[in-house]
Structure formats: structure tokens, C-alpha cells
Amino acid sequence: MTRTPVGEIRPSQLLWTYGPEALIDLPNLSVVTMGIDRWERDRCQPIQEARLLANVRSVLGPQVESLRMPPLGDRDVVDPFSAAALVGVPVKPFPRWLRCVKCGLLSPFDAGLFKLKENRYRPELTRFVHEGCRGSSNDQRPKDADAVPARFLMACRAGHLDDFPWHWFVHGGPSGCRGTLRFFESGASLQTENLWVKCDSCGAAKNMAQGFGQAGRDNLPACRGRHPHIDRFVDDCVEDPRAILLGATNGWFPVTLSVLAIPQTGSPLAQLIGDGWTFFEDVDSADEVGFVVKTLKKTAQLPGIENAARQSG
Ligand SMILES: [Zn+2]
Ligand SMILES: [Zn+2]
Ligand SMILES: [Zn+2]
């Protein structure tokens, strides 16, 4: 997969607003933050905080190896085409469906109808275009027109996030029709009631209001259990999916765990004992200390003990 910088966000935004599977509504693109298995591990500094790690493991499980910082890019990279300019948190376009602002063409970004226009000097200007667009009546001089995210998505209460099922929705269910779809407005305001999608080939059309509320329950397929940030589908979701709008503030919430970190006072050993105090508090002889240390080394329950406690082991 090729990599293109698409913009910048602050590290704190990664924690509170744009963590894995959150949508980032950039000026010209909408992207989803990929799961941490796609992040460049070597660019992510480890955080030595044994108590926090223990807390996280108690919630997520023992598979959590370490805590790490987000990858930090160098803001002063001179060459925008260098490898250093590509350091960052991986994202991919989501929703995959885009709409041409001129002719209303509605299609996935990777179906060959839209093209990515990179801007390495100003990544935030990177966008998709409908190449050689001839307007909604197909009678204008060919000219590239901007393509923007189709602002409808589907989500369920189990936390799945999917593209809006445009083909299914327009055709009233599964259909063999392979026509291109078009998005258009009727009426003066951009209320959902005035937004329509239509199939170029068979003429089927549907009003977007039909995707919401009770009508939505009748017009949308079952949840596919999609997690776009890890490219995975689970097939046993029983929740009803609902249409949601891109940019809705109730789309993603962080789960946070915190500890009060007391800065090291120069003695790594004292720090280690402090971090692992629950293991040491009932010890009442030197022999017992040796035993606890041995056990901790074997079970790797206190990161750092393997280096710090040679003399007692
Ligand atoms: Zn167009
Ligand atoms: Zn059709
Ligand atoms: Zn679901």
C-alpha cells in the first residue's frame, strides 16, 4: 500500500478524539485511524510505568506487552518526499464511498472512478478528484472535480462501523444491477429529506430519509460486524445497524486508565520496589525477598526486575 501524508493532528487528539477506529474528518478527506498493529513499533517509544501496565493488563488481558507513545514525526523535515516525512499514525480513507461535488457520482474511492491528488508540500490539501467530470447532464467540457466523502455510514451498538450500503439501499435489497450511482439534491436545504441517491442504469432511486428511523430498520441490511481499522468482519453480530452521519460527535469514545507517576529519585531499584509494592508488602525476611524476586522473574509480573535484582537472585 502506498503512503501519502494527509494532515496533522496533535498527540493529545490521538488520545482523546482520534484513537484506533475513530474517524478523522479532514478538510478534504475522511479517514479512519488504523489499529496499533499497523503502527510502526520502532517509532513508538516505550513507556516504563509498571503499575499502569498492570492496570491495562487487568482490563485488556496479559497479551499487552508494553505501553508506547504515538510515533512522533519531525515537524522540520525539509524534504517532503523523504522517509522521515512519512512518519506518523497510519490511516486509510473511510467511508470508502465518495461523491463528486459536480456530477454527484457516488463510488468507492478505489473503484477506478476517482483519483488521489497528492500534495506533499501541503498534506492537508491532499484529496480525491473525479477525473474529467462532465457534469450531471454529461454535457460539459471534461474537467477534474473534487470528490468528497459520502457523509453517511452505518454503525451498531456493538461498536461496528461500516460503509453505508448504497447499492443495497437504492435497489431495495441484493441486486445484480451494476449501474453507477448518483447522489443529488432536491429542494433548497440540505435536509435528509432533500437528498436522493439514484442508479444510472436501472433508474431505481431512494430518498435518504428512508435510511433512518423505522424506515431505516426496514431498508438496511444486517450488521456485517465490520472493524475497518483492523480490516476484519465478525459474522455473529445481532445488533441492528443504524445509519449515522459523518462528523456525529457520538461516534467514538476513549477508554482511559491512569496512574499517578512519581518521578524516579535516582534509584531504579527503589522505583522498582515501589512499583511492585503489592508483591513485597508482606515480606518479613531477606530469604523471602529472594523468593519473591525469583517468582517475579519467572512470571514476568514486574517489568524491569530481571535486570535490577541480580544480587538477590
Ligand atoms: Zn463528477
Ligand atoms: Zn440499478
Ligand atoms: Zn454489529
Side-chain angles (χ1 to χ4, degrees):
M1 189 181 273
T2 56
R3 298 201 293 179
T4 304
V6 293
E8 277 186 13
I9 55 170
R10 293 189 302 278
S12 64
Q13 287 181 299
L14 260 184
L15 286 182
W16 300 108
T17 322
Y18 298 132
E21 206 176 7
L23 293 166
I24 311 181
D25 202 4
L26 296 162
N28 302 296
L29 285 175
S30 169
V31 296
V32 65
T33 305
M34 298 302 284
I36 51 173
D37 53 324
R38 311 290 169 89
W39 297 27
E40 279 183 278
R41 193 189 165 104
D42 295 344
R43 302 269 188 191
C44 301
Q45 287 287 321
I47 299 169
Q48 304 296 350
E49 200 59 64
R51 285 169 304 159
L52 188 56
L53 181 60
N55 270 0
V56 172
R57 279 179 176 157
S58 71
V59 174
L60 295 180
Q63 78 282 4
V64 179
E65 283 172 27
S66 56
L67 304 174
R68 286 171 186 266
M69 309 263 288
L72 290 181
D74 183 355
R75 297 186 61 119
D76 303 320
V77 172
V78 180
D79 177 5
F81 294 91
S82 65
L86 288 175
V87 172
V89 171
V91 297
K92 72 173 179 188
F94 204 85
R96 290 171 55 246
W97 288 72
L98 309 177
R99 157 180 81 83
C100 171
V101 296
K102 198 165 153 202
C103 73
L105 177 67
L106 192 64
S107 173
F109 76 91
D110 52 0
L113 297 170
F114 298 121
K115 192 178 173 212
L116 185 69
K117 261 213 161 145
E118 269 191 70
N119 190 324
R120 285 284 173 101
Y121 296 95
R122 295 188 59 192
E124 73 281 5
L125 295 183
T126 292
R127 66 193 195 279
F128 284 96
V129 295
H130 179 202
E131 272 190 311
C133 176
R134 293 172 58 88
S136 50
S137 314
N138 204 29
D139 56 359
Q140 297 178 27
R141 199 166 52 82
K143 199 178 168 211
D144 289 357
D146 285 351
V148 296
R151 303 195 69 84
F152 296 84
L153 291 144
M154 229 168 51
C156 86
R157 292 162 60 103
H160 302 124
L161 187 64
D162 208 342
D163 276 301
F164 190 81
W166 295 102
H167 253 283
W168 168 294
F169 180 69
V170 175
H171 294 105
S175 157
C177 179
R178 289 280 158 264
T180 48
L181 304 183
R182 216 159 285 275
F183 198 80
F184 65 98
E185 293 145 19
S186 68
S189 72
L190 286 180
Q191 288 163 335
T192 319
E193 293 75 26
N194 292 336
L195 302 176
W196 294 79
V197 58
K198 186 181 173 204
C199 175
D200 281 340
S201 171
C202 71
K206 211 163 237 166
N207 186 283
M208 287 314 295
Q210 296 290 104
F212 291 83
Q214 182 55 49
R217 279 188 276 283
D218 298 336
N219 288 317
L220 299 178
C223 180
R224 300 194 293 171
R226 188 178 201 176
H227 281 304
H229 67 307
I230 48 175
D231 291 322
R232 211 170 289 164
F233 293 82
V234 296
D235 54 13
D236 57 353
C237 183
V238 293
E239 293 287 345
D240 278 334
R242 289 188 207 173
I244 59 165
L245 290 174
L246 189 61
T249 51
N250 58 355
W252 189 90
F253 300 96
V255 175
T256 57
L257 282 175
S258 55
V259 290
L260 183 63
I262 313 292
Q264 289 192 12
T265 49
S267 163
L269 187 58
Q271 176 75 28
L272 201 57
I273 306 272
D275 287 345
W277 185 241
T278 46
F279 301 114
F280 293 103
E281 59 187 344
D282 296 327
V283 168
D284 44 28
S285 77
D287 286 349
E288 238 179 286
V289 171
F291 177 75
V292 168
V293 168
K294 254 188 207 160
T295 311
L296 287 175
K297 278 183 177 176
K298 268 208 187 99
T299 54
Q301 286 182 85
L302 184 61
I305 191 103
E306 62 281 1
N307 312 318
R310 279 289 123 92
Q311 66 274 39
S312 57

